[in-house]
């Protein structure tokens, strides 16, 4: 019994320290034009209790809980991602998400005025191009082996976002990518 408890506490050990820090997000010019005056994009601690999708809330809660084990397969099953079909990244490349594992906790990309937090822009889901910093992305062997996994907190849709070497700063872990929506995201790396 105690051995089982030890193994569950040691689950996903690499991600427990790999949080995505709270930060103001640098946005591309086209994104700045759609952000309402007085608001800004930020990355903050994931708040699954605010999601409309119970599947998204369950996956984020389980991955972020240091006492819980969740595999990539379990995450995909909960999110109802059909791995028998071809899955593409936002860049259009075919990906097998089962070949990846999370290397960070989830954090939320949100719109805020400093008081309220929103998961859309004026009531609409909009893509935003932004630069975010993730400790888990510092000095990775090959950025092509990493993707961001994002979940729409309302509909539960899952997105896989690639970065390239031109949009990646290994020393800081910064990547500039287009997020298809606001909401929770984490870093995945191809398992060795």
């Amino acid at each position: 019994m105690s051995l089982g408890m030890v193994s569950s506490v040691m689950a996903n050990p690499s991600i427990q320290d790999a949080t995505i820090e709270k930060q103001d997000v640098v946005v591309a010019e086209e994104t700045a034009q759609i952000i309402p005056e007085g608001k800004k994009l930020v990355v903050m601690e994931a708040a699954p209790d605010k999601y409309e999708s119970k599947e998204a809330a369950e996956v984020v809660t389980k991955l972020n809980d240091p006492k819980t084990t969740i595999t990539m397969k379990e995450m995909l099953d909960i999110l109802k991602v059909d791995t028998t079909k071809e899955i593409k990244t936002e860049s259009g490349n075919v990906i097998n998400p089962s070949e990846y594992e999370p290397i960070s906790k989830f954090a939320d990309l949100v719109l805020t005025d400093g008081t309220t937090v929103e998961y859309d822009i004026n009531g609409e889901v909009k893509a935003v191009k932004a630069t975010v910093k993730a400790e888990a992305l510092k000095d990775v062997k090959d950025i092509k082996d990493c993707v961001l996994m994002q979940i729409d907190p309302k509909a539960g849709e899952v997105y896989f976002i690639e970065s390239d070497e031109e949009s990646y700063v290994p020393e800081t872990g910064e990547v500039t990518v287009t997020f298809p929506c606001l909401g929770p995201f984490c870093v995945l790396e191809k398992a060795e």
Side-chain angles (χ1 to χ4, degrees):
M1 178 80 166
S2 63
L3 180 59
M5 294 171 93
V6 169
S7 66
S8 68
V9 170
M10 297 305 287
N12 302 332
S14 60
I15 69 159
Q16 292 315 316
D17 296 326
T19 57
I20 299 172
E21 307 85 35
K22 293 178 183 179
Q23 58 191 279
D24 288 352
V25 175
V26 177
V27 297
E29 189 175 322
E30 64 269 23
T31 296
Q33 294 173 6
I34 64 170
I35 295 176
E37 191 173 324
K39 297 186 179 181
K40 62 183 176 179
L41 278 181
V42 300
V43 171
M44 59 185 291
E45 187 175 328
D49 57 316
K50 293 184 170 48
Y51 306 161
E52 290 178 30
S53 165
K54 61 183 195 292
E55 294 84 4
E58 181 180 353
V59 165
V60 172
T61 300
K62 285 184 175 181
L63 184 66
N64 285 8
D65 182 351
K67 297 182 193 103
T68 303
T69 302
I70 187 167
T71 65
M72 191 65 192
K73 181 184 180 335
E74 290 168 327
M75 288 179 15
L76 296 170
D77 287 347
I78 292 167
L79 293 165
K80 298 178 178 96
V81 174
D82 185 352
T83 56
T84 64
K85 294 185 177 173
E86 187 174 82
I87 298 170
K88 292 188 176 183
T89 65
E90 290 304 291
S91 305
N93 295 316
V94 175
I95 185 174
N96 179 353
S98 301
E99 294 178 350
Y100 291 79
E101 62 185 32
I103 59 169
S104 78
K105 293 181 180 184
F106 277 101
D108 281 351
L109 177 64
V110 298
L111 189 64
T112 184
D113 60 7
T115 306
T116 61
V117 171
E118 300 169 37
Y119 291 92
D120 56 36
I121 298 174
N122 293 328
E124 293 182 45
V125 174
K126 295 198 184 242
V128 293
K129 186 172 183 180
T131 302
V132 297
K133 187 187 305 184
E135 189 73 28
L137 287 173
K138 274 189 180 177
D139 299 315
V140 295
K141 290 177 193 160
D142 188 349
I143 192 63
K144 293 180 181 131
D145 288 337
C146 294
V147 294
L148 299 181
M149 179 174 124
Q150 187 179 36
I151 308 169
D152 181 325
K154 294 183 178 192
E157 293 290 322
V158 180
Y159 303 98
F160 299 97
I161 308 160
E162 295 173 291
S163 180
D164 56 36
E165 291 176 14
E166 294 80 47
S167 318
Y168 168 58
V169 183
E171 299 79 21
T172 60
E174 288 178 313
V175 289
T176 302
V177 297
T178 299
F179 291 90
C181 62
L182 301 183
F185 70 97
C186 70
V187 178
L188 304 179
E189 186 172 34
K190 201 171 246 191
E192 293 182 11

